[in-house]
Amino acid sequence: MAEAHPVTTVAETGVVELHHEPSAFGIAAPGYVALSMLVVIAILLWKKVPALIAGMLDAKIAAIRTDLDEAARLRAEAEAHLAEAKARNAASAGDAAAIVAHAEAEAKLMLAKAESDAQELVARRGKMAEDKIAAAERAAIGEVRAKAADAAAKAAAAIIAERHGAEADKALVDRTITGLGRLN
């Protein structure tokens, strides 16, 4: 038989390095960091720093709230002014239309009155000579035209000043002058 060889194992042993942390009074560096943080927090609480911060934040919140209230008040005031301006604008447009309608009605009344006056004048002087009748009729028609033109010019001037530019004014004046020639 063969001889048995004993199996031997060799264990290697390593060197364990031990680190020694410095400490004072049995407290290591992380313990001092924690202790110093506790001291800082205690000082902050003792001096009431969170209350001061909360007070400053509350003051800032109050200022912002005041600004928001002021902005809301200003907005409401601006909306009221806008509504008032719109109402004034609508009223002035209505007034302008009423003035134009009144001027047109007055011009028609003046024209009718002038025509009736001219007819009465012609009836009273029917026995006068033919040339005096023609002269009186021309004078009455001229007066009617002048009054109608004056009233129309005043009404048109107000409307034109408000609604038309120079180019539109020229066309309106030409049309009015053309219309006055048709009264004969």
Side-chain angles (χ1 to χ4, degrees):
M1 287 216 127
E3 256 184 85
H5 292 325
V7 177
T8 60
T9 55
V10 178
E12 285 188 34
T13 58
V15 178
V16 176
E17 294 183 26
L18 296 176
H19 293 285
H20 180 68
E21 292 186 18
S23 65
F25 303 110
I27 302 173
Y32 279 108
V33 170
L35 184 62
S36 65
M37 286 302 297
L38 287 175
V39 169
V40 167
I41 290 172
I43 290 172
L44 290 176
L45 291 176
W46 177 57
K47 293 292 184 175
K48 298 181 182 174
V49 171
L52 291 174
I53 292 172
M56 288 189 303
L57 290 176
D58 288 343
K60 187 68 172 177
I61 289 170
I64 291 171
R65 187 169 287 131
T66 302
D67 289 346
L68 287 174
D69 292 343
E70 178 69 13
R73 185 188 64 78
L74 289 174
R75 179 181 179 155
E77 186 177 319
E79 287 174 352
H81 285 303
L82 178 64
E84 184 179 313
K86 284 182 180 178
R88 276 195 314 257
N89 189 18
S92 65
D95 289 347
I99 289 169
V100 168
H102 179 67
E104 289 174 352
E106 193 173 300
K108 287 178 184 177
L109 287 174
M110 290 174 72
L111 181 61
K113 185 176 186 288
E115 286 178 359
S116 68
D117 288 347
Q119 288 175 0
E120 288 176 13
L121 183 63
V122 169
R124 276 185 272 150
R125 298 188 182 220
K127 295 181 182 181
M128 294 180 105
E130 200 68 28
D131 54 287
K132 286 187 177 184
I133 292 172
E137 190 175 345
R138 283 192 302 270
I141 290 173
E143 182 182 336
V144 169
R145 283 183 181 167
K147 286 182 180 180
D150 186 43
K154 287 179 183 176
I159 293 170
I160 290 169
E162 185 177 2
R163 297 184 185 170
H164 297 287
E167 192 64 32
D169 288 348
K170 182 179 183 308
L172 183 63
V173 169
D174 290 344
R175 196 174 18 179
T176 303
I177 289 172
T178 305
L180 288 176
R182 284 186 246 148
L183 290 178
N184 286 335

